[in-house]
mmCIF file of all heavy atoms in Angstrom:
data_model
loop_
_atom_site.group_PDB
_atom_site.id
_atom_site.type_symbol
_atom_site.label_atom_id
_atom_site.label_comp_id
_atom_site.label_asym_id
_atom_site.label_seq_id
_atom_site.Cartn_x
_atom_site.Cartn_y
_atom_site.Cartn_z
ATOM 1 N N THR B 375 181.087 73.450 89.121
ATOM 2 C CA THR B 375 182.137 72.854 89.965
ATOM 3 C C THR B 375 182.305 73.694 91.277
ATOM 4 O O THR B 375 182.460 73.120 92.346
ATOM 5 C CB THR B 375 183.469 72.852 89.187
ATOM 6 O OG1 THR B 375 183.279 72.323 87.903
ATOM 7 C CG2 THR B 375 184.522 72.065 89.914
ATOM 8 N N GLY B 376 182.217 75.025 91.073
ATOM 9 C CA GLY B 376 182.280 75.870 92.294
ATOM 10 C C GLY B 376 181.202 75.580 93.243
ATOM 11 O O GLY B 376 181.417 75.476 94.456
ATOM 12 N N MET B 377 179.967 75.476 92.687
ATOM 13 C CA MET B 377 178.850 75.138 93.610
ATOM 14 C C MET B 377 179.093 73.854 94.359
ATOM 15 O O MET B 377 178.792 73.711 95.508
ATOM 16 C CB MET B 377 177.571 75.025 92.787
ATOM 17 C CG MET B 377 176.849 76.339 92.540
ATOM 18 S SD MET B 377 175.267 75.927 91.814
ATOM 19 C CE MET B 377 174.635 77.592 91.648
ATOM 20 N N PHE B 378 179.610 72.913 93.538
ATOM 21 C CA PHE B 378 179.882 71.617 94.142
ATOM 22 C C PHE B 378 180.840 71.734 95.303
ATOM 23 O O PHE B 378 180.641 71.114 96.337
ATOM 24 C CB PHE B 378 180.480 70.648 93.061
ATOM 25 C CG PHE B 378 180.549 69.290 93.588
ATOM 26 C CD1 PHE B 378 179.522 68.435 93.557
ATOM 27 C CD2 PHE B 378 181.753 68.850 94.123
ATOM 28 C CE1 PHE B 378 179.676 67.168 94.042
ATOM 29 C CE2 PHE B 378 181.884 67.602 94.634
ATOM 30 C CZ PHE B 378 180.832 66.706 94.587
ATOM 31 N N VAL B 379 181.944 72.493 95.109
ATOM 32 C CA VAL B 379 182.931 72.678 96.111
ATOM 33 C C VAL B 379 182.258 73.244 97.395
ATOM 34 O O VAL B 379 182.558 72.895 98.521
ATOM 35 C CB VAL B 379 184.064 73.665 95.594
ATOM 36 C CG1 VAL B 379 184.938 74.079 96.750
ATOM 37 C CG2 VAL B 379 184.846 72.988 94.534
ATOM 38 N N LEU B 380 181.342 74.222 97.167
ATOM 39 C CA LEU B 380 180.717 74.882 98.305
ATOM 40 C C LEU B 380 179.674 73.960 98.956
ATOM 41 O O LEU B 380 179.596 73.958 100.186
ATOM 42 C CB LEU B 380 179.982 76.150 97.817
ATOM 43 C CG LEU B 380 180.933 77.274 97.359
ATOM 44 C CD1 LEU B 380 180.042 78.418 96.835
ATOM 45 C CD2 LEU B 380 181.814 77.713 98.460
ATOM 46 N N LEU B 381 178.961 73.189 98.178
ATOM 47 C CA LEU B 381 177.827 72.436 98.727
ATOM 48 C C LEU B 381 178.305 71.090 99.346
ATOM 49 O O LEU B 381 177.838 70.667 100.317
ATOM 50 C CB LEU B 381 176.731 72.205 97.683
ATOM 51 C CG LEU B 381 175.985 73.390 97.257
ATOM 52 C CD1 LEU B 381 174.995 73.000 96.168
ATOM 53 C CD2 LEU B 381 175.195 73.912 98.447
ATOM 54 N N ALA B 382 179.262 70.417 98.665
ATOM 55 C CA ALA B 382 179.586 69.069 98.983
ATOM 56 C C ALA B 382 179.882 68.786 100.466
ATOM 57 O O ALA B 382 179.427 67.788 100.988
ATOM 58 C CB ALA B 382 180.755 68.593 98.138
ATOM 59 N N PRO B 383 180.593 69.697 101.154
ATOM 60 C CA PRO B 383 180.884 69.427 102.583
ATOM 61 C C PRO B 383 179.595 69.442 103.450
ATOM 62 O O PRO B 383 179.583 68.947 104.542
ATOM 63 C CB PRO B 383 181.847 70.534 103.003
ATOM 64 C CG PRO B 383 182.313 71.142 101.754
ATOM 65 C CD PRO B 383 181.281 70.966 100.748
ATOM 66 N N HIS B 384 178.565 70.114 103.005
ATOM 67 C CA HIS B 384 177.351 70.327 103.838
ATOM 68 C C HIS B 384 176.212 69.516 103.518
ATOM 69 O O HIS B 384 175.432 69.120 104.387
ATOM 70 C CB HIS B 384 177.032 71.795 103.821
ATOM 71 C CG HIS B 384 178.152 72.733 104.015
ATOM 72 N ND1 HIS B 384 178.812 72.805 105.220
ATOM 73 C CD2 HIS B 384 178.860 73.593 103.185
ATOM 74 C CE1 HIS B 384 179.796 73.664 105.101
ATOM 75 N NE2 HIS B 384 179.862 74.154 103.866
ATOM 76 N N VAL B 385 175.958 69.190 102.250
ATOM 77 C CA VAL B 385 174.748 68.464 101.904
ATOM 78 C C VAL B 385 175.059 67.313 101.011
ATOM 79 O O VAL B 385 176.194 67.188 100.467
ATOM 80 C CB VAL B 385 173.728 69.341 101.114
ATOM 81 C CG1 VAL B 385 173.322 70.506 101.984
ATOM 82 C CG2 VAL B 385 174.385 69.898 99.800
ATOM 83 N N ASP B 386 174.149 66.425 100.790
ATOM 84 C CA ASP B 386 174.276 65.336 99.793
ATOM 85 C C ASP B 386 173.889 65.893 98.453
ATOM 86 O O ASP B 386 172.781 66.196 98.176
ATOM 87 C CB ASP B 386 173.390 64.213 100.203
ATOM 88 C CG ASP B 386 173.677 62.973 99.340
ATOM 89 O OD1 ASP B 386 174.314 63.117 98.253
ATOM 90 O OD2 ASP B 386 173.242 61.888 99.702
ATOM 91 N N VAL B 387 174.973 66.072 97.627
ATOM 92 C CA VAL B 387 174.763 66.750 96.389
ATOM 93 C C VAL B 387 173.758 66.102 95.485
ATOM 94 O O VAL B 387 173.054 66.727 94.679
ATOM 95 C CB VAL B 387 176.115 66.959 95.653
ATOM 96 C CG1 VAL B 387 175.932 67.672 94.322
ATOM 97 C CG2 VAL B 387 177.054 67.702 96.524
ATOM 98 N N PHE B 388 173.630 64.767 95.636
ATOM 99 C CA PHE B 388 172.690 64.037 94.759
ATOM 100 C C PHE B 388 171.235 64.490 94.949
ATOM 101 O O PHE B 388 170.477 64.510 93.938
ATOM 102 C CB PHE B 388 172.780 62.547 94.969
ATOM 103 C CG PHE B 388 174.070 62.022 94.512
ATOM 104 C CD1 PHE B 388 175.081 61.535 95.401
ATOM 105 C CD2 PHE B 388 174.394 61.962 93.187
ATOM 106 C CE1 PHE B 388 176.270 61.089 94.977
ATOM 107 C CE2 PHE B 388 175.638 61.478 92.702
ATOM 108 C CZ PHE B 388 176.581 61.037 93.627
ATOM 109 N N ASP B 389 170.902 64.912 96.110
ATOM 110 C CA ASP B 389 169.600 65.403 96.354
ATOM 111 C C ASP B 389 169.376 66.749 95.739
ATOM 112 O O ASP B 389 168.265 67.230 95.649
ATOM 113 C CB ASP B 389 169.297 65.563 97.895
ATOM 114 C CG ASP B 389 169.429 64.174 98.575
ATOM 115 O OD1 ASP B 389 169.306 63.215 97.871
ATOM 116 O OD2 ASP B 389 169.597 64.179 99.818
ATOM 117 N N TRP B 390 170.449 67.387 95.366
ATOM 118 C CA TRP B 390 170.403 68.761 94.877
ATOM 119 C C TRP B 390 170.606 68.874 93.370
ATOM 120 O O TRP B 390 170.644 69.951 92.846
ATOM 121 C CB TRP B 390 171.455 69.614 95.610
ATOM 122 C CG TRP B 390 171.129 69.919 96.995
ATOM 123 C CD1 TRP B 390 171.033 69.033 98.034
ATOM 124 C CD2 TRP B 390 170.631 71.127 97.504
ATOM 125 N NE1 TRP B 390 170.638 69.676 99.201
ATOM 126 C CE2 TRP B 390 170.366 70.989 98.910
ATOM 127 C CE3 TRP B 390 170.476 72.425 96.969
ATOM 128 C CZ2 TRP B 390 169.933 71.979 99.696
ATOM 129 C CZ3 TRP B 390 170.034 73.480 97.763
ATOM 130 C CH2 TRP B 390 169.744 73.231 99.148
ATOM 131 N N VAL B 391 170.694 67.750 92.755
ATOM 132 C CA VAL B 391 171.028 67.797 91.280
ATOM 133 C C VAL B 391 169.946 68.610 90.515
ATOM 134 O O VAL B 391 170.279 69.559 89.795
ATOM 135 C CB VAL B 391 171.121 66.371 90.707
ATOM 136 C CG1 VAL B 391 171.168 66.418 89.192
ATOM 137 C CG2 VAL B 391 172.324 65.647 91.202
ATOM 138 N N TYR B 392 168.674 68.281 90.730
ATOM 139 C CA TYR B 392 167.621 69.018 89.987
ATOM 140 C C TYR B 392 167.603 70.469 90.301
ATOM 141 O O TYR B 392 167.598 71.262 89.430
ATOM 142 C CB TYR B 392 166.241 68.342 90.127
ATOM 143 C CG TYR B 392 166.082 67.143 89.225
ATOM 144 C CD1 TYR B 392 166.079 65.878 89.676
ATOM 145 C CD2 TYR B 392 165.974 67.346 87.885
ATOM 146 C CE1 TYR B 392 165.941 64.810 88.822
ATOM 147 C CE2 TYR B 392 165.830 66.346 86.967
ATOM 148 C CZ TYR B 392 165.828 65.065 87.408
ATOM 149 O OH TYR B 392 165.696 64.054 86.537
ATOM 150 N N PRO B 393 167.548 70.872 91.562
ATOM 151 C CA PRO B 393 167.560 72.265 91.827
ATOM 152 C C PRO B 393 168.720 73.014 91.250
ATOM 153 O O PRO B 393 168.569 74.107 90.699
ATOM 154 C CB PRO B 393 167.644 72.367 93.411
ATOM 155 C CG PRO B 393 167.076 71.095 93.891
ATOM 156 C CD PRO B 393 167.368 70.105 92.841
ATOM 157 N N ILE B 394 169.946 72.441 91.288
ATOM 158 C CA ILE B 394 171.111 73.055 90.784
ATOM 159 C C ILE B 394 171.005 73.148 89.245
ATOM 160 O O ILE B 394 171.302 74.253 88.634
ATOM 161 C CB ILE B 394 172.403 72.325 91.197
ATOM 162 C CG1 ILE B 394 172.616 72.552 92.701
ATOM 163 C CG2 ILE B 394 173.561 72.922 90.421
ATOM 164 C CD1 ILE B 394 173.748 71.667 93.213
ATOM 165 N N VAL B 395 170.612 72.023 88.615
ATOM 166 C CA VAL B 395 170.554 72.048 87.152
ATOM 167 C C VAL B 395 169.483 73.133 86.724
ATOM 168 O O VAL B 395 169.726 73.890 85.756
ATOM 169 C CB VAL B 395 170.134 70.688 86.641
ATOM 170 C CG1 VAL B 395 169.671 70.760 85.171
ATOM 171 C CG2 VAL B 395 171.270 69.725 86.833
#
Side-chain angles (χ1 to χ4, degrees):
Chain B
T375 312
M377 274 188 178
F378 185 85
V379 171
L380 294 176
L381 288 178
H384 310 293
V385 296
D386 187 345
V387 180
F388 292 109
D389 298 341
W390 286 70
V391 169
Y392 276 109
I394 291 173
V395 166

